[in-house]
Amino acid sequence: MYMEKLSLAGRVAVVTGGGQGIGAACAGALGEAGATVVVAELLPERVEATVADLGQRGITAHGVALDVTHSADVDAAAAAIRAAHGRVDILVNNAGVAKSDVPAEETSDEHWRFHMDVNVDGLFWCCRAFGRIMLDQGGGAIVNIGSMSGLIVNKPQPQAFYNASKAAVHQLTRSLAAEWGARGVRVNSVAPTYIETPLTSFGIEENPEMYKVWLDMTPMGRVGQPDEVASAVHFLASDAASLITGAILTTDGGYTCW
Ligand code: NDP
């Protein structure tokens, strides 16, 4: 009974920004659990490569080139995916950007808007478009990729724009969970620590001093890997989390304990 709850057989799952890093790991995790996966990613060539890779692993995968910041395109992609697959059971809102290490007083309008456009607006357009489908079909699960940066202030790199955007993701998660809970749609977030992906190479690979601070600040003394976030996403998307909505699940090696 308990292992069955983790099965996603027959489910249709959409992963935004699913072409690399945490998103690609989530696509793999949901696919291995039996879901048909739709990778929605900015760059068409990355969509193609990821879908091919998932296919080689025996996962039923499709792809769509999508910029989540364009709400009309998000609506059109949602309609097309529903038309093709009949339903959408799971949405992983993973597309996100972080051009960190910029002090607040030097943050340009463009830099601020870039982060809000992708991390907040784009995430909401996806919640709205796919949430409508889930409400209409009477159920679904949304997992938003938030961040520990929505709970704490990172050190030493300044990144107020990113921290604020991820705090918004968490509060949006709770708001939608409250609005949609009675109609069968669960909405949760994961809040990862530093995960080894292209997004964090500015610290892990290029700045040993910064990287040391990151490790010193983390009780487990290490950064995470994409699959460690994907496992938490799989759990929240599955029936094993049937009573869980509005949660912000820290996947942070203990970072937020201190
Ligand atoms: P990556 O940069 O490795 O991957 C993000 C993917 O999203 C990229 O393929 C990127 O494309 C794509 N993307 C960016 N903008 C858009 C857009 N407008 N529409 C569609 N796709 C887009 O990042 P991670 O895997 O590290 O991060 C994934 C999520 O996890 C993000 O939301 C991030 O904020 C969050 N997170 C990451 C942590 C980390 O330490 N890595 C920690 C906590 C949270 P492109 O490369 O072309 O921009």
Side-chain angles (χ1 to χ4, degrees), residues 120 123-124 127 144 167-177 187:
V120 183
L123 181 132
F124 179 68
C127 284
N144 295 323
V169 169
H170 296 171
Q171 189 61 350
L172 185 58
T173 297
R174 291 161 51 80
S175 303
L176 297 180
V187 188

Side-chain angles (χ1 to χ4, degrees), residues 191-207:
T193 181
Y194 300 103
I195 307 297
E196 197 169 353
T197 72
L199 184 141
T200 46
S201 60
F202 73 97
I204 295 174
E205 286 171 21
E206 293 161 23
N207 192 331

Side-chain angles (χ1 to χ4, degrees), residues 17 20-22 41-43 46 66-69 94-97 118 145-147 162 166 192-195 197-200:
Q20 70 176 31
I22 294 170
E41 167 70 58
L42 206 49
L43 300 175
R46 210 178 277 166
L66 177 66
D67 181 342
V68 298
T69 65
N94 164 81
V97 288
V118 181
I145 310 297
S147 174
Y162 182 77
K166 290 299 181 176
T193 181
Y194 300 103
I195 307 297
T197 72
L199 184 141
T200 46

